[in-house]
Amino acid sequence: MNMTAKRAKSAQRDPEQQLAEFVAKFEPKLQTLIRSVRKAVRTRLPSAHELVYDNYNFFVIGYSPTLRPSDAIVSVTADANGVGLCFIHGAKLDDPNKILSGDGKQTRFLRLDSSKTLALPDVEALIAAAIDQSAQPLATSGRGTLVIRSVSVKQRPRRKPAK
């Protein structure tokens, strides 16, 4: 099957089913965490589009007011080492308690041990600030779509090697 045929076949598949297959690559504890974090972010940003990437390094669900990845506000990221919340334009956020990690020109992130972390006042304030600084406003009603944007054939392992 050529690449065009593979993409066409992939495009016909149910995005929720594909997402479940991506999450199933992780160890059970991370699967549970990814699902609970997704639910919490989805509840917080119901009108955002979910843009999914199962890339070489990371599994990513971006939350964007548009279908453009560059408009994403936050992303849920996962690899074999854990789950994080990535603030796409986090370098511009006021982070008085220094809870964000990273020192790049644009992105900052927060490692998550639980979806409950998203409800902490400092984290909620950062999410609200990220929404406020977004160049594109979120829709005030409705539900965003789930779009599988990219799947890399070659990927780093989603589970840590057995010891």
Side-chain angles (χ1 to χ4, degrees):
M1 187 178 296
N2 66 32
M3 285 304 278
T4 304
K6 284 182 182 178
R7 284 188 188 123
K9 185 177 179 182
S10 177
Q12 294 171 356
R13 295 181 52 217
D14 175 52
E16 285 290 345
Q17 180 185 357
Q18 285 182 281
L19 179 69
E21 291 169 5
F22 302 154
V23 173
K25 295 176 188 177
F26 291 88
E27 63 185 58
K29 182 179 176 182
L30 288 179
Q31 290 177 32
T32 300
L33 182 57
I34 292 166
R35 285 192 291 270
S36 68
V37 169
R38 178 187 181 217
K39 182 178 179 182
V41 174
R42 199 77 184 113
T43 299
R44 179 64 179 88
L45 305 171
S47 66
H49 298 284
E50 290 180 295
L51 309 177
V52 177
Y53 302 83
D54 196 19
N55 291 332
Y56 176 76
N57 285 318
F58 290 97
F59 167 70
V60 178
I61 307 172
Y63 292 85
S64 177
T66 71
L67 293 174
R68 292 178 41 184
S70 59
D71 290 334
I73 297 168
V74 295
S75 294
V76 174
T77 62
D79 68 3
N81 296 311
V83 178
L85 185 68
C86 177
F87 290 83
I88 309 305
H89 301 283
K92 296 179 184 175
L93 294 175
D94 183 27
D95 182 18
N97 295 322
K98 307 293 182 216
I99 64 171
L100 294 176
S101 298
D103 57 8
K105 292 183 180 180
Q106 181 174 325
T107 305
R108 298 288 184 274
F109 67 95
L110 179 65
R111 295 202 190 281
L112 301 173
D113 295 324
S114 165
S115 60
K116 293 177 183 176
T117 303
L118 300 173
L120 296 174
D122 286 347
V123 177
E124 176 52 38
L126 287 167
I127 294 171
I131 293 167
D132 288 345
Q133 81 175 8
S134 176
Q136 299 292 326
L138 286 163
T140 56
S141 64
R143 183 171 175 89
T145 57
L146 173 63
V147 180
I148 307 300
R149 295 282 304 206
S150 172
V151 180
S152 296
V153 175
K154 187 173 181 180
Q155 298 176 345
R156 288 189 172 183
R158 300 303 193 215
R159 295 176 185 234
K160 290 183 178 179
K163 293 181 179 181

